[in-house]
Amino acid sequence: MTPMLTMPSRPLVAKPGQKSLRYTNKDNTDIRKTFEKARRVLAQQHSKH
């Protein structure tokens, strides 16, 4: 099964007149949330079958 792709949570390139974000909050970089979300999605898909 192919994993679902999601858009980045912030722009990688700033728009004109917009300051690019250099640093992100530690909550946004915590990969445990990503793995937990993927685990829940897989469990939900398996329960449908």
Side-chain angles (χ1 to χ4, degrees):
M1 177 172 34
T2 308
M4 292 181 13
L5 297 176
T6 58
M7 295 302 291
S9 58
R10 63 183 174 90
L12 299 177
V13 179
K15 295 178 183 174
Q18 182 186 29
K19 186 176 179 182
S20 63
L21 297 175
R22 178 175 287 186
Y23 300 104
T24 59
N25 190 335
K26 68 173 183 170
D27 295 335
N28 295 341
T29 58
D30 187 2
I31 62 171
R32 289 176 293 183
K33 289 183 179 181
T34 302
F35 284 109
E36 180 62 25
K37 180 180 176 183
R39 187 196 62 76
R40 286 196 312 267
V41 168
L42 285 175
Q44 184 181 26
Q45 288 175 351
H46 286 301
S47 68
K48 288 182 180 179
H49 295 296

